[in-house]
Amino acid sequence: MMLRIFILLLLSFQASAVFVNPQGSGEVLLIPYYSVNNSLNFNATVTNTTEDVKAIKITIREGLNGYAMLSYNVYLGPNDTWSFVMGPWPSSVDGYVGQDFGALASKDNSCAPMINKTLQEFNPNVLVDGSENIERGREGFIEIIEMGVVEGYLANAAVVSHDGEPENCALLQEAWEPGGVWHANPNHYMEPASGGLTAEADITHVEDGINYSIPVVALADFFVEGDHPHVSPGDSGLSLDAAAPKATLLTDEKPYQLSFERGIDAVSAVLMADELTSTYALDTPVNGLSVTVYSQPTRRFYTDYATQTAEPPYSSEMNVMMCPPDHYGGTEMNQAVFDRESDYDSVQGTVGGMIQIKDSLCGSVSVQKMVFPDTLPSADDITGSDNLQFQEIVTGGTENGFVLSRFLNTRPLVATDINSGKTVHILGLPVIGVSLGRFTNFNAQPNILAQYGFSHGIKSKVTVVAL
């Protein structure tokens, strides 16, 4: 009942104010993490739940600075679903031949012009700065953006017929080729986005038989009313900064209707958190492993690698403890680690009366591995991440619990409250993510090994201060 009340409140505000839709559908979907490290496969489905034919942009962005490993278009008929898988693959690109990288494949019949569904490699040439190791592209986050509703004969081409095949995918590809109607005018027979996209995502270790479901964040009322930014399949320029410069932000106290100078600030606002809660479970009898992935899909819009500086809400200095400069700097945070019995542990400082341990988030996607006290750092057996930090659990406590994180040295994101006209400060950083865990039972039955994977979205709170 409370959820319905919140939704009614959101819908009562004016249109074109982006908000996180707790019901899971919208014009934009954010998948906070993919990985093809450690023999992992990534699987996703994108569903059009409406009666419209939709043009959709999918962009795979690497985890250090959000460079596009692959960007392509999909055209989905009414109630159609696009599915794809990504996995490890050695690069065949000149200058990178044989280096560990990644690729996408799909057996889906939906129209995806100009990609090779059999095997479409990631593109290492976009990694123009930062770490020179192209393996950085093997983990990151994914943007899924509805570009608009297709009309007329072009819409008919994407509609699936009774034999399970779209009517004429070749027509949509020809439309983008030189001389084609979309090559000349991308908005030919296009109408504004209507929402209703949903997605599911999973990371799977095929050999071990383990699956981790990844939560998807849905953004609704994303575009300025009437906007439909339809771009070519290889164009990765369409991103989260295309949003309307207004946002509906739900806090523990009340919803806020806010305006900004830029659309990207509206998106950051609805993802903001000044307190995060993640879980861990290192239970020894089942060889427990736990990591938490922190994803900042808008971070690259605020940072400057050349000067190692950043705009609010980030600290002006990107160079922080534990973050290599070629990982695009990071943000320091204090963490309180609690076990199941509410005991907590620390080695540094006190903030707000609570003992804290300092750590850092590096780049756009950062992975933190939970370890036992006095454990030597080692590779992450779940994600295989190279952008890895470590946090110790409570000394002498239970082997499972939660971590409370707060950011240091951030600056407020400034907005105007549309209802009151007052300036407000939104505290924290735009962060989403997921905790992943693995249990291994070496004797589930005599001589039978059983493995289990689980995932939990990180929880967040945000503070808005009216001036």
Side-chain angles (χ1 to χ4, degrees):
M1 181 57 126
M2 186 61 69
L3 176 61
R4 291 182 180 179
I5 293 173
F6 285 150
I7 294 296
L8 289 173
L9 284 171
L10 292 169
L11 295 177
S12 69
F13 289 127
Q14 66 187 62
S16 301
V18 62
F19 68 96
V20 174
N21 186 358
Q23 294 184 323
S25 67
E27 298 96 276
V28 173
L29 307 172
L30 297 175
I31 301 176
Y33 191 59
Y34 74 85
S35 177
V36 298
N37 288 314
N38 199 29
S39 299
L40 294 171
N41 286 343
F42 174 85
N43 316 275
T45 60
V46 182
T47 300
N48 171 16
T49 66
T50 76
E51 296 299 320
D52 298 323
V53 174
K54 292 185 177 293
I56 300 165
K57 168 66 70 178
I58 300 177
T59 304
I60 318 299
R61 297 193 179 275
E62 55 87 28
L64 289 186
N65 198 42
Y67 287 120
M69 296 293 91
L70 179 63
S71 188
Y72 64 99
N73 293 359
V74 176
Y75 296 86
L76 290 182
N79 304 303
D80 192 13
T81 295
W82 165 254
S83 63
F84 65 95
V85 62
M86 302 191 301
W89 191 261
S91 178
S92 65
V93 178
D94 288 346
Y96 305 95
V97 174
Q99 295 186 37
D100 292 337
F101 211 32
L104 175 147
S106 176
K107 290 187 176 181
D108 198 294
N109 291 328
S110 302
C111 299
M114 299 181 179
I115 69 164
N116 183 352
K117 290 183 181 180
T118 302
L119 185 80
Q120 182 70 53
E121 290 188 36
F122 293 172
N123 179 15
N125 290 317
V126 300
L127 301 173
V128 295
D129 53 28
S131 172
E132 296 180 356
N133 184 355
I134 68 168
E135 290 188 26
R136 62 189 267 193
R138 288 158 62 97
E139 66 177 345
F141 63 96
I142 299 175
E143 299 170 350
I144 301 168
I145 301 176
E146 181 188 350
M147 297 181 288
V149 172
V150 188
E151 298 284 354
Y153 72 101
L154 292 170
N156 294 336
V159 175
V160 176
S161 61
H162 294 297
D163 63 1
E165 296 279 351
E167 291 290 344
N168 193 353
C169 285
L171 179 64
L172 299 182
Q173 177 147 327
E174 291 169 3
W176 281 117
E177 293 172 350
V181 292
W182 280 340
H183 188 271
N185 177 14
N187 289 323
H188 181 73
Y189 274 109
M190 293 293 299
E191 294 295 331
S194 61
L197 293 183
T198 65
E200 307 291 338
D202 298 274
I203 293 175
T204 305
H205 197 294
V206 177
E207 294 177 1
D208 288 347
I210 300 175
N211 189 79
Y212 308 96
S213 294
I214 306 300
V216 179
V217 176
L219 304 180
D221 286 351
F222 185 82
F223 293 107
V224 172
E225 190 170 352
D227 199 11
H228 43 90
H230 189 212
V231 298
S232 63
D235 186 347
S236 63
L238 177 61
S239 188
L240 301 178
D241 57 337
K246 295 183 175 66
T248 302
L249 176 60
L250 186 63
T251 71
D252 286 348
E253 290 77 28
K254 66 175 185 177
Y256 287 86
Q257 182 78 354
L258 304 172
S259 67
F260 302 84
E261 293 185 0
R262 306 183 302 175
I264 191 61
D265 294 332
V267 177
S268 292
V270 299
L271 303 179
M272 289 285 276
D274 61 344
E275 183 176 289
L276 298 171
T277 303
S278 58
T279 59
Y280 67 89
L282 302 185
D283 303 67
T284 300
V286 286
N287 194 33
L289 300 174
S290 285
V291 300
T292 295
V293 178
Y294 298 93
S295 184
Q296 303 171 80
T298 64
R299 183 179 188 267
R300 71 188 189 281
F301 293 98
Y302 298 94
T303 58
D304 186 322
Y305 178 71
T307 62
Q308 292 289 296
T309 59
E311 301 174 5
Y314 292 89
S315 168
S316 59
E317 290 290 332
M318 291 170 56
N319 289 318
V320 299
M321 177 185 70
M322 301 182 189
C323 293
D326 65 357
H327 281 200
Y328 300 87
T331 298
E332 291 183 322
M333 59 182 178
N334 277 333
Q335 293 187 306
V337 182
F338 292 85
D339 77 353
R340 192 178 60 207
E341 306 300 335
S342 77
D343 286 335
Y344 57 88
D345 213 2
S346 175
V347 294
Q348 297 185 35
T350 301
V351 174
M354 183 180 295
I355 297 176
Q356 307 282 323
I357 308 169
K358 187 176 288 186
D359 207 339
S360 298
L361 299 183
C362 306
S364 294
V365 176
S366 187
V367 178
Q368 185 179 68
K369 178 180 179 180
M370 301 303 295
V371 298
F372 287 103
D374 303 319
T375 301
L376 292 175
S378 61
D380 171 23
D381 291 332
I382 295 181
T383 70
S385 176
D386 289 327
N387 192 16
L388 185 63
Q389 305 292 334
F390 300 88
Q391 185 60 276
E392 294 183 352
I393 68 171
V394 177
T395 302
T398 64
E399 297 178 331
N400 41 59
F402 71 94
V403 180
L404 187 66
S405 303
R406 297 188 178 105
F407 303 110
L408 297 174
N409 304 317
T410 60
R411 295 176 289 175
L413 191 63
V414 179
T416 300
D417 186 324
I418 293 175
N419 294 320
S420 69
K422 293 182 178 179
T423 298
V424 299
H425 284 177
I426 310 165
L427 308 185
L429 290 180
V431 181
I432 56 179
V434 59
S435 295
L436 307 176
R438 189 178 84 187
F439 288 161
T440 302
N441 188 341
F442 291 98
N443 196 29
Q445 294 290 333
N447 301 316
I448 295 179
L449 178 146
Q451 297 198 100
Y452 314 93
F454 53 91
S455 60
H456 305 286
I458 59 176
K459 309 303 188 294
S460 64
K461 293 182 179 180
V462 63
T463 301
V464 177
V465 179
L467 302 185

